[in-house]
Amino acid sequence: MRKTLKLSLLAAAALAYAAGAQAQKAEVIHWWTSGGEAAAIKEMAAAYTKAGGTWVDTPIAGGGGAQARTVMANRTMGGDPPTAAQYNYGRQYEEIIKEGLLNNLDDIAAKGGWDKLLPEKIKNSVKVGGHYYAVPVNLHNENWVWYNKAVLAKAGAKEPTNLDEMFAAMDKLKGTGVTPLALGGQGWQEGITFRGVLLATGGRELFLKTFKDKDTANPQFRKAVETFKKLKGYVDPGSPGRDWNLATGMVIEGKAGFQMMGDWAKGEFVNANKTAGKDYGCFMAGGPKMPYAIGGDVFVFPKSKNKDSEAAQKKLAEMMISPAMQVAFNNKKGSIPIRTDVDTSKMDICAQMGVQAVKEGRLLEGAGEILTPDANGAFEDAVSKFWNSDQSVDDALKAMAAALKR
């Protein structure tokens, strides 16, 4: 009898252990597939595994993330949700919140003191209707220019600190066999390039006038449109359809001088064992005191009929925003920590510029946070059409104005 009872207790304990292990299984959908991005997400996976969980990695290629978000929405509405899914700051997850598809993170946020911890502009993005629905993992700035120091030195070009000086340097690269500007010819990349030119032309005032006030009928906006198209004279014929990380690779390998891209590009330099300030340089397109055009990544946690899913979600959320993970992940990703209470003293010179921007309060919400997804997509389509066609500046201005008002 005692033996039977003992065996029964052991069996029950084994089942409880198995259930607990199952509770820690977490499938995570993301679109981090480049070298630097893959290295960064591995930091999360390793930390979750170390904490006793089982990380199920579901990467979906596509630098802009549209494919990954579509898969997440379809699976969740179809009753087969992942444990967590990557989104960007802004309004991308408003609809799935309205549909009641996400668990909120209010208990995790209260325990971690998110109200005091997070920068105000980020808090406003991940807190919707008074509830936290997303865990922010980093702070990106899309308004960066990266360049190969050796390439510029060989051409006798001065290292620039703003867009005007960059044009002068690119003129020196012409005819040297090096592509002056490496660009991935995809709509979202052309959109980033345009917004960098917009900030360089008129700073915060022009940026907000454009995306918040929807005012494009001014000389500065026209100048930005003309300057943007001028850049095409520095791009190689192989640009159309090129992935962003391949464009970064051109700069790393000395095949191109410059790239205008968010600081996730720095993760590729890090992954290639290149050192900021030694092998490559960086500056914000509008100059050192320009607004920090913030963006970044969050993870949301879909509701599930699996009762064990919520425990895994809470474990993930706490791990993702923990101080140790913030430093380890962002050092690989190229971004800076979302937390302001971690040690950033050992970060490279480019990251330090970002940290300084946060300290000085130079954060600027991105176009994706201001515009609806429909208007933002329509505007990028208008920018892309202008870049890839012989459309006149006047016609482009009309198309961009119409897109903003959608």
Side-chain angles (χ1 to χ4, degrees):
M1 179 71 177
R2 287 182 179 177
K3 185 175 181 181
T4 302
L5 178 61
K6 186 176 180 181
L7 287 172
S8 297
L9 289 173
L10 286 171
L15 286 171
Y17 177 80
Q22 179 66 24
Q24 305 307 317
K25 183 177 179 180
E27 183 192 6
V28 182
I29 285 181
H30 62 88
W31 60 84
W32 288 328
T33 57
S34 75
E37 291 173 328
I41 195 69
K42 282 179 182 176
E43 292 287 342
M44 282 190 183
Y48 190 72
T49 301
K50 186 177 180 181
T54 300
W55 179 284
V56 180
D57 203 52
T58 305
I60 298 173
Q67 297 94 319
R69 292 190 292 272
T70 298
V71 169
M72 181 273 181
N74 289 343
R75 281 187 50 182
T76 299
M77 289 186 286
D80 180 31
T83 314
Q86 178 191 359
Y87 275 74
N88 293 127
Y89 293 126
R91 305 179 65 176
Q92 292 176 351
Y93 37 90
E94 278 186 355
E95 283 301 317
I96 54 176
I97 291 173
K98 289 177 183 176
E99 293 293 329
L101 298 176
L102 296 184
N103 286 318
N104 73 55
L105 302 170
D106 290 345
D107 53 346
I108 302 297
K111 181 180 176 182
W114 290 14
D115 278 346
K116 293 182 179 179
L117 177 71
L118 300 179
E120 197 67 24
K121 289 187 183 297
I122 300 304
K123 185 167 65 179
N124 292 340
S125 180
V126 297
K127 195 174 188 179
V128 181
H131 300 283
Y132 283 102
Y133 284 100
V135 56
V137 295
N138 56 13
L139 189 59
H140 276 303
N141 170 35
E142 67 173 23
N143 179 35
W144 282 103
V145 180
W146 311 93
Y147 60 89
N148 185 304
K149 290 172 68 73
V151 165
L152 266 61
K154 186 176 180 180
K158 177 186 173 184
E159 293 187 23
T161 59
N162 57 48
L163 204 59
D164 288 338
E165 293 175 0
M166 175 179 146
F167 272 110
M170 289 194 300
D171 284 336
K172 291 214 168 188
L173 292 179
K174 279 190 170 182
T176 65
V178 172
T179 298
L181 179 64
L183 176 70
Q186 297 170 340
W188 69 273
Q189 297 188 63
E190 291 154 1
I192 281 178
T193 304
F194 178 81
R195 291 189 293 273
V197 172
L198 192 70
L199 275 170
T201 303
R204 180 188 298 269
E205 183 179 353
L206 180 60
F207 191 92
L208 293 178
K209 185 181 286 188
T210 300
F211 296 116
K212 189 165 280 187
D213 301 336
K214 299 176 174 56
D215 175 12
T216 58
N218 60 79
Q220 276 196 313
F221 186 79
R222 185 184 187 92
K223 181 183 177 183
V225 171
E226 292 171 342
T227 303
F228 170 68
K229 194 59 175 279
K230 181 182 174 183
L231 285 171
K232 191 160 188 181
Y234 299 90
V235 173
D236 68 295
S239 172
R242 179 186 290 143
D243 289 335
W244 69 269
N245 54 305
L246 299 182
T248 308
M250 291 172 65
V251 180
I252 292 172
E253 295 163 14
K255 296 176 181 178
F258 293 91
Q259 181 188 24
M260 298 180 71
M261 183 51 60
D263 49 17
W264 48 91
K266 193 181 71 174
E268 300 302 296
F269 285 96
V270 172
N271 196 51
N273 296 315
K274 302 298 182 182
T275 303
K278 176 185 176 185
D279 302 305
Y280 66 97
C282 59
F283 66 92
M284 283 178 271
K289 291 298 180 180
M290 274 291 103
Y292 205 67
I294 59 172
D297 305 287
V298 305
F299 281 88
V300 300
F301 302 90
K303 290 181 178 178
S304 173
K305 292 180 182 179
N306 181 350
K307 294 179 181 179
D308 298 326
S309 177
E310 195 169 338
Q313 290 175 337
K314 290 181 179 182
K315 192 181 193 74
L316 276 172
E318 288 184 322
M319 178 271 291
M320 287 173 171
I321 204 168
S322 67
M325 178 49 55
Q326 284 284 296
V327 173
F329 171 79
N330 283 290
N331 279 345
K332 294 284 179 69
K333 185 67 169 61
S335 44
I336 60 176
I338 195 66
R339 301 182 67 116
T340 56
D341 61 347
V342 297
D343 183 11
T344 59
S345 61
K346 295 180 181 178
M347 291 186 173
D348 63 59
I349 59 170
C350 302
Q352 291 295 344
M353 291 183 201
V355 170
Q356 188 62 30
V358 174
K359 288 180 179 178
E360 294 175 0
R362 290 191 278 117
L363 301 186
L364 174 67
E365 60 266 48
E369 293 184 65
I370 301 171
L371 300 173
T372 65
D374 183 49
N376 192 42
F379 186 81
E380 285 197 348
D381 287 345
V383 167
S384 187
K385 181 177 179 180
F386 177 56
W387 178 266
N388 291 293
S389 71
D390 294 327
Q391 186 181 45
S392 69
V393 172
D394 287 335
D395 286 345
L397 289 171
K398 291 176 186 176
M400 292 176 192
L404 288 171
K405 293 173 182 176
R406 286 181 60 162

